[in-house]
Amino acid sequence: GLSSSAQSRVTFFSSDAETALDNGQGKDADVMIVDPPRKGLGGHVLGYLTNRSARQENSLRDLRRLVYVSCGFDALRRDAVALLDAGWRVEFAEGHVLFP
C-alpha cells in the first residue's frame, strides 16, 4: 500500500468523465486517468482537455498528466492527434493485445 504521507496527498474516485468534469470533481487534479469506450473520448471531454481556457474555468489548471487507456486504436489515434495539437505531449506509450 501507499505510505501514510502519500495517502494524505492522494484522492481517488471513479466516475463518468463528462459528469465528473461538469461537477468539478477533477478540481485541483494533477493526474487524470481516462479509459474511454472503443469510440474514444466524447467531444465534451476532449474539449475540456484540449482547451486551456476551459481547463482553467473548470479547476483543471493543475492537470499535468493524462493517462489514456484505450481499446480502440482508431479512436486513440484521433484523440491523440487532438491532444498533441493542443500542446499535450506523449512521454510513454505501450501497446498490448489483451483479446487476440
Side-chain angles (χ1 to χ4, degrees):
L2 293 174
S3 69
S4 59
S5 65
Q7 288 179 17
S8 68
R9 298 185 317 253
V10 174
T11 302
F12 170 84
F13 63 90
S14 177
S15 175
D16 170 81
E18 185 172 336
T19 302
L21 291 169
D22 285 345
N23 292 336
Q25 290 175 305
K27 183 179 184 204
D28 302 325
D30 56 350
V31 176
M32 182 180 293
I33 301 171
V34 294
D35 185 4
R38 289 186 189 275
K39 65 182 180 176
L41 291 171
H44 190 69
V45 175
L46 197 55
Y48 272 114
L49 295 172
T50 58
N51 183 326
R52 288 188 190 272
S53 62
R55 289 205 319 261
Q56 290 291 332
E57 292 169 13
N58 291 287
S59 300
L60 294 176
R61 64 188 159 277
D62 295 328
L63 188 60
R64 302 282 183 257
R65 183 165 296 199
L66 177 67
V67 178
Y68 189 118
V69 179
S70 177
C71 62
F73 294 116
D74 291 335
L76 171 61
R77 179 180 42 238
R78 183 201 68 227
D79 292 348
V81 166
L83 291 164
L84 290 167
D85 286 348
W88 288 91
R89 68 179 195 275
V90 176
E91 288 187 15
F92 179 80
E94 184 172 47
H96 297 272
V97 177
L98 300 177
F99 303 102

